[in-house]
Amino acid sequence: MHSEPDARGAPGTARAPQDEPIAIVGIAALYPGVRGADAFWRSLTEPPPPPGAEVPSLADIEVDVAQFGIPPAQASALTRMQLLMLEAARECLEDAKAGDRTLQAERTDVVAGVCAGLDRQYANALRVESSRYAHELERAMTAPEFGGSARTAAQAADELRTALVRRLGASPHDRVGEMASTIPARIAGAFKLRGRTLALESADATSFLALAHALDSLRGGLSEAVLVVTGQREEGPFLRAALAAKGLVAAETRPFAADGDGFALGEGVGALLLKRLSSAVRDGDRVYATVRGCAVRHEGRPGVFRYSTSVGRRAGVARAALDSCGASPESVGYVECGGYGVAHETRAELDALAAVYAGAGPGSVVLGSVRDRLGHTFANAGLAGVTKAALALYHRRLPARFPPGPGREPGPGPAFRTLPEPRKWLREAGAGPRRAAVSGASLTGTLCHLILEEHDPDAAAPAAGRPRTARVPAALSAAPEPIAIVGYGGRFGDAPDADAFWAAMLTGEDRIRPLPQSLLDRELYYEPGKLSLTRSYTDQGSPLEVPARPPEGLRIPPRRWAVMDAAQRVALSVAGELLARRGPAAPALRGQGLVATGTNLSLARERRVAAGLALGEVESAVGGLAALGRLDPTETATLLDLVRERYAAEPGPRGPEDLDGALAGGVAAVIANEYGLDAVPLGVEAACASSLAALDVAVGRLRSGSVDYALAGGVELPCNARDMVLCSALGLLSHGRITPFDSAADGFTPGDGCALFLLKRYADARRDGDAIHGLLCGIGASNDAKSLIAPDADGQVRAMRQAFGQAGFDPADVGYLEAHGTGTRVGDRVEIAAVARVYASPHRRRPLEIGSAKSFFGHTFAAAGGAGLLRALHALRTGVLPANAGLTTVSPELELDRVPARVSTASRPWESAPGRPRRAGVSSFGTGGINYHVLIEEHLDGPR
């Protein structure tokens, strides 16, 4: 489904518009032994510590929690990464200050990038899993050789659970505190920023994708400023073990060594504050450098994830970045390389650069890589490289290369050189501004290239005596081109595809039932009527059946399929449904694409494997149990061996496919790679709004011209013991079942699900002859910046109004609202209050119909917005307003007459005037005050 490009890029490549430069106005750098932009620059320009010297770590950085207004009850549930990113955000915003200027809070976004699990996620998973270990310990101790006392055995099990809760930490707020999306939400709350809020992951291309999204938001006028924060820590042994199983880990990183055998895994947290250059000049900001060009491409190859070694593709991406800003290779004086430390990737990168810079003068381009000092900081790697290049431009000095250690270095070509020590960056008269390029790649197959340029404040300053005037463009005040939905697929509960999902909606009966024992061991994890840190008070949910084999036509080896996370398998199958539904006559997906999947950024499989790797911590706790005090060391060792055998922990990584099956961004990557799409994969988390956040990223990339098509949506499978226990601890779950808008609503019921949508620009879809199922006319997003868990009407209203600012029609024209509808009294009441402020109108011809897919399939977390959009899309296509399940008495607290609106218990025809399209809104709100709202319209002209 793709063709190999030549060195100039793929056929049909969408080129980003040559738009305004984006200014880097703030920098934060937290690395081992480094704190702040100045310290980071010194670390790059001064001799490194001598071999054997003690190297500090991120654990040495102290963070004052109190300054961020975090309630003490929530502090223990925070990840260490959250604290470090809060500190990085503070330092970046402080660095950007010049006088008393402040940011436009409602138009400042926060984007965070992380990869692999965080410490609290691992600890919570191990704590829940340890109940199973305690159960096996109790069984083993009843054997005669260990005393045979049921009372002693039960005492040991209870003692172990208590010890692990104390050792690993436990809080009712764990489910909220552990989430990656809580990081940008917490930053937004701490600094009162109310723009878009989301977390991203795309393996070691994470930073580049976060920056690309920021550029789209700023150039599209959606944002006035974007704070990008990315970080990587060794949160546990999993990531290192999984990378080692891929053959990528070495004792040190030698970026340009011809015999390089891997990289050293590094740690670091960095932040950049970005603005349009005109805004930065207007505000009198210090500008470190500007981002001029950006290109991100993907090589979709089936099989185990691996770095691209295609010289043609690498050169094509570099040329696309240069072309996007009209820069010539000869104008670039410094290239910050990926510097993987792996021989064949190094060779491919250097050969590609040699092809691009073939016309540059001998020795005119200096090469470097920040990995020679930091190692590979993975999710943070791209941002670290961009920071280095920006500081080089700002200080007008070329950084030196750290000596590579033993081994040969390849000759990179006559245009290139490396420096033994920093030098002044000279520029010939009339040669134009200094420029730097930053190159990077991901082990999923993604390739990245950025062009940075120095900023001359004298040239940008206004004339003497003349007053100054992500020029403040309105947030897309003119309705932009709609985005066509040209494909869809879904799987929820007992509905194996999107058609069965819609058929369930028409029955009026929910699909919620007791979870099977395989998902929730009731003996271990179920205790009705009681709040607990280790058990769930409900056993209800809407689980789906995970596919047992790959979709037809895909050749995935059994071992690779077995180690794929269940979310990856489900999403791959739904993508197959989506592509098959287009039919054999559908046009091929040409040009560059994006696959953006909303999901939890720490998948279940990764957590299980991490828990298995931490089994020693559980066994060390067993050794200190008072109930085992009468066993001698030999008996204790024998007992531990028996329990370990019965417990059967998930084995650690054993092959190159194990990391692939645990990456959240791997959900998107397996779709892109197995279906051979030239589409950049990206994992997105915005709590329960993740699906619509992924859609928002996709729409931004489409409207900027960066991609030609996008596959976006969400997947999550929360019907498992860990999620049930953690959600119960905070009292989020219904004691019965979810009943949105009912007077008896007392919480939500979890459900498994996945929904994906194929998107194109409307004109392109018409040109290609696609069947258009609906038009996405507007998408708005905000953060209320007030509370992580309490809903806020003001934030929801801002998201809705943003969406209508793009749509070209009024709220009174919308006939159906697919609400977030979590089934909590407060949440439902606040949501309808916000709806009344936007949708209430004396011009409304008939009441606004309100419903929620959650009433049928429960709350599917990251897939919830996808479920809502799928339901609303079906309603548009079929002209049927769907029923709501479980509704007995509409809560009078909702005051629906203010809109006016109604919630129906039976399906009914959706009446519309001839030639007038049906229109619907879809809301999705997430923990952390994250709000998204989408507006869609029926397509009346052409195939549907």
Side-chain angles (χ1 to χ4, degrees), residues 92 180 199 220 367 423 425 512 584 590 628 679 720 747 875 888:
C92 186
L367 297 184
R423 293 183 184 175
W425 192 337
I512 295 169
R590 299 176 296 178
L628 273 66
N720 61 73
T888 302

Side-chain angles (χ1 to χ4, degrees), residues 546-922:
V546 178
R549 61 185 62 86
E552 186 177 352
L554 299 186
R555 294 185 175 182
I556 300 177
R559 159 132 175 91
R560 184 160 178 258
W561 182 256
V563 299
M564 276 189 187
D565 187 87
Q568 293 179 337
R569 293 188 232 169
V570 169
L572 194 62
S573 298
V574 172
E577 174 203 342
L578 179 154
L579 295 171
R581 177 173 280 111
R582 301 185 75 224
L589 295 176
R590 299 176 296 178
Q592 302 297 327
L594 173 76
V595 181
T597 53
T599 185
N600 189 307
L601 292 192
S602 177
L603 299 182
R605 173 165 175 77
E606 180 202 10
R607 297 193 195 204
R608 289 198 307 271
V609 174
L613 291 172
L615 184 58
E617 187 167 359
V618 178
E619 292 179 336
S620 68
V622 173
L625 298 180
L628 273 66
R630 60 187 186 79
L631 298 181
D632 62 35
T634 301
E635 292 172 322
T636 299
T638 302
L639 174 65
L640 288 175
D641 288 342
L642 178 60
V643 177
R644 177 183 281 257
E645 180 181 352
R646 290 179 172 178
Y647 175 64
E650 194 81 24
R654 295 176 292 177
E657 59 277 298
D658 284 87
L659 179 61
D660 305 358
L663 288 175
V667 175
V670 295
I671 293 172
N673 290 356
E674 295 306 319
Y675 289 109
L677 305 178
D678 282 342
V680 174
L682 177 65
V684 178
E685 187 190 309
C688 306
S690 296
S691 287
L692 297 194
L695 208 73
D696 186 37
V697 173
V699 169
R701 299 251 79 197
L702 284 164
R703 285 179 170 163
S704 73
S706 300
V707 300
D708 299 294
Y709 65 90
L711 199 157
V715 59
E716 191 160 357
L717 282 67
C719 290
N720 61 73
R722 179 184 60 84
D723 280 308
M724 299 286 285
V725 168
L726 296 182
C727 289
S728 285
L730 197 54
L732 299 175
L733 302 182
S734 170
H735 289 265
R737 59 183 56 199
I738 185 170
T739 54
F741 315 117
D742 197 275
S743 59
D746 67 343
F748 63 78
T749 302
D752 296 340
C754 176
L756 298 174
F757 305 89
L758 183 60
L759 311 175
K760 286 186 178 182
R761 289 180 290 272
Y762 181 56
D764 292 351
R766 293 295 300 270
R767 176 200 66 199
D768 296 339
D770 286 294
I772 299 176
H773 307 294
L775 298 177
L776 195 158
C777 301
I779 183 164
S782 72
N783 189 287
D784 61 48
K786 291 183 179 179
S787 169
L788 285 185
I789 54 178
D792 177 73
D794 291 341
Q796 295 174 17
V797 165
R798 281 196 300 275
M800 294 178 195
R801 288 178 175 162
Q802 267 190 34
F804 278 106
Q806 304 168 26
F809 53 80
D810 295 328
D813 297 322
V814 174
Y816 175 69
L817 173 64
E818 174 67 23
H820 186 55
T822 56
T824 65
R825 286 183 61 185
V826 173
D828 290 352
R829 186 177 70 245
V830 170
E831 179 174 10
I832 299 303
V835 168
R837 288 170 57 182
V838 176
Y839 280 88
S841 171
H843 304 296
R844 181 171 293 283
R845 290 181 293 276
R846 54 180 61 89
L848 176 69
E849 292 283 347
I850 296 179
S852 174
K854 294 180 182 67
S855 65
F856 287 86
F857 290 102
H859 190 350
T860 52
F861 291 39
L869 180 57
L870 185 60
R871 176 166 139 125
L873 186 66
H874 273 300
L876 288 181
R877 295 180 65 248
T878 62
V880 175
L881 292 165
N884 290 277
L887 188 66
T888 302
T889 304
V890 175
S891 172
E893 295 178 346
L894 302 181
E895 299 181 337
L896 294 175
D897 290 342
R898 289 182 294 172
V899 180
R902 65 187 174 200
V903 183
S904 298
T905 57
S907 300
R908 66 176 68 192
W910 187 347
E911 299 176 2
S912 65
R916 187 181 186 89
R918 298 176 176 90
R919 292 169 174 137
V922 181

Side-chain angles (χ1 to χ4, degrees), residues 353-558:
L353 291 174
V356 174
Y357 292 89
S364 63
V365 182
V366 173
L367 297 184
S369 175
V370 75
R371 294 186 192 182
D372 60 8
R373 300 295 181 107
L374 300 179
H376 187 9
T377 57
F378 224 70
N380 168 259
L383 190 139
V386 170
T387 302
K388 178 183 175 182
L391 289 172
L393 289 165
Y394 180 70
H395 291 286
R396 297 177 179 177
R397 287 180 66 79
L398 290 163
R401 271 266 294 110
F402 178 63
R408 298 178 296 107
E409 290 197 5
F416 302 112
R417 60 181 171 140
T418 60
L419 297 179
E421 59 185 21
R423 293 183 184 175
K424 186 176 182 180
W425 192 337
L426 300 175
R427 183 182 63 173
E428 295 181 7
R434 296 171 179 85
R435 287 184 178 135
V438 183
S439 174
S442 163
L443 58 81
T444 60
T446 297
L447 299 167
C448 321
H449 210 82
L450 291 176
I451 305 298
L452 275 64
E453 184 177 286
E454 72 175 337
H455 172 66
D456 185 346
D458 294 329
R466 186 179 300 169
R468 286 192 178 105
T469 55
R471 181 170 61 90
V472 186
L476 295 176
S477 55
E481 180 184 20
I483 300 299
I485 302 174
V486 299
Y488 61 88
R491 179 178 291 222
F492 294 85
D494 61 358
D497 56 34
D499 293 337
F501 169 87
W502 180 241
M505 298 294 163
L506 300 181
T507 68
E509 298 178 1
D510 69 46
R511 296 302 195 266
I512 295 169
R513 57 186 174 85
L515 295 181
Q517 190 74 3
S518 60
L519 295 177
L520 185 73
D521 187 323
R522 286 165 176 75
E523 184 179 1
L524 299 182
Y525 298 116
Y526 178 49
E527 189 171 6
K530 182 180 178 182
L531 285 176
S532 167
L533 293 174
T534 57
R535 294 173 182 266
S536 169
Y537 54 74
T538 181
D539 65 348
Q540 300 291 303
S542 182
L544 61 72
E545 184 176 350
V546 178
R549 61 185 62 86
E552 186 177 352
L554 299 186
R555 294 185 175 182
I556 300 177

